[in-house]
Amino acid sequence: DAKTTQPPSMDCAEGRAANLPCNHSTISGNEYVYWYRQIHSQGPQYIIHGLKNNETNEMASLIITEDRKSSTLILPHATLRDTAVYYCIVRAMNRDDKIIFGKGTRLHILP
Amino acid sequence: SAVISQKPSRDICQRGTSLTIQCQVDSQVTMMFWYRQQPGQSLTLIATANQGSEATYESGFVIDKFPISRPNLTFSTLTVSNMSPEDSSIYLCSVGWGNNEQFFGPGTRLTVL
């Protein structure tokens, strides 16, 4: 079973920041938080991951609470092309660990 | 990163037949996985394709229904056997190095009549 809880859907106005929450209250010390997204009719795309520090890359920022029980993915300036299903995943960093997907959040960017 | 191709990209098959899906990666990878995504649903892991040994299947999936081959570090196949309409899904290949990101192929859209 997925170890994360996400809202089923969210709306965000184009040009505004999209903040996608994720709860992972049972996360273990060796588990990372990963975010993927799936644009319609495509395979999932890696966005970002982190352990306990906040992370930023060219796509997004990841804010992880101090207790690591929740996190927020931030798309700073959402565009229509960011409309997708966003998956928050908890995963241990070892050779054999696989990605188990939950239901994700369907993000609609509104013009 | 990795460039992953899948063949066929889509197919329409008759009940009772089998289809073999190919996954080709442009570089050697440690891990290869097969996922299924039923209409309107999230992705479900079918199995881990192990090079040189039998695949490791997740609960609810068996080798007789979904035989998998992985002859080398860049190629794998998934066969969907004795198909029924319930097997209509997108089948995705995924690869990684067991250390960081995991990359996904474009998927194979299967419709079973």
Side-chain angles (χ1 to χ4, degrees):
Chain A
D1 290 339
K3 301 180 181 179
T4 61
T5 304
Q6 299 176 251
S9 66
M10 292 182 62
D11 292 337
C12 178
E14 188 177 17
R16 302 294 294 272
N19 297 277
L20 292 91
C22 179
N23 287 322
H24 31 80
S25 58
T26 61
I27 192 170
S28 300
N30 69 335
E31 290 180 321
Y32 289 69
V33 180
Y34 280 75
W35 283 84
Y36 280 77
R37 74 179 182 183
Q38 187 174 25
I39 296 171
H40 183 61
S41 297
Q42 298 182 22
Q45 175 190 23
Y46 166 83
I47 300 173
I48 198 168
H49 76 283
L51 182 62
K52 55 183 179 180
N53 297 321
N54 298 337
E55 302 288 344
T56 296
N57 62 21
E58 65 279 4
M59 290 183 67
S61 295
L62 174 60
I63 308 298
I64 302 174
T65 59
E66 192 169 342
D67 63 7
R68 303 211 319 127
K69 292 185 177 182
S70 65
S71 61
T72 301
L73 178 74
I74 302 172
L75 308 177
H77 304 287
T79 70
L80 296 178
R81 289 175 295 181
D82 292 321
T83 293
V85 178
Y86 287 76
Y87 296 99
C88 170
I89 295 155
V90 165
R91 178 191 183 205
M93 187 77 86
N94 63 54
R95 289 176 60 84
D96 298 327
D97 205 52
K98 55 239 178 181
I99 291 179
I100 303 298
F101 286 84
K103 297 185 185 301
T105 295
R106 185 173 297 275
L107 176 65
H108 298 275
I109 304 301
L110 307 174
Chain B
S1 65
V3 177
I4 305 167
S5 60
Q6 288 186 229
K7 290 182 180 179
S9 58
R10 58 178 62 227
D11 208 342
I12 300 173
C13 300
Q14 294 298 320
R15 182 196 298 261
T17 62
S18 298
L19 176 72
T20 295
I21 302 168
Q22 298 179 3
C23 176
Q24 179 73 56
V25 192
D26 68 341
S27 58
Q28 293 186 343
V29 294
T30 306
M31 315 294 290
M32 295 186 80
F33 306 93
W34 286 98
Y35 288 80
R36 178 176 75 181
Q37 187 169 29
Q38 296 176 301
Q41 303 296 314
S42 181
L43 286 80
T44 301
L45 180 63
I46 298 173
T48 302
N50 301 309
Q51 196 243 339
S53 64
E54 194 171 284
T56 304
Y57 290 84
E58 297 297 306
S59 175
F61 297 95
V62 296
I63 188 172
D64 290 346
K65 176 67 176 178
F66 298 101
I68 289 170
S69 78
R70 190 179 170 191
N72 56 50
L73 295 177
T74 64
F75 185 78
S76 177
T77 67
L78 168 75
T79 299
V80 186
S81 303
N82 188 24
M83 289 184 284
S84 68
E86 292 72 34
D87 294 320
S88 296
S89 294
I90 299 172
Y91 292 86
L92 297 107
C93 171
S94 179
V95 305
W97 293 267
N99 58 354
N100 199 344
E101 305 148 37
Q102 190 170 316
F103 297 92
F104 288 81
T108 295
R109 184 179 295 272
L110 171 62
T111 301
V112 184
L113 303 178

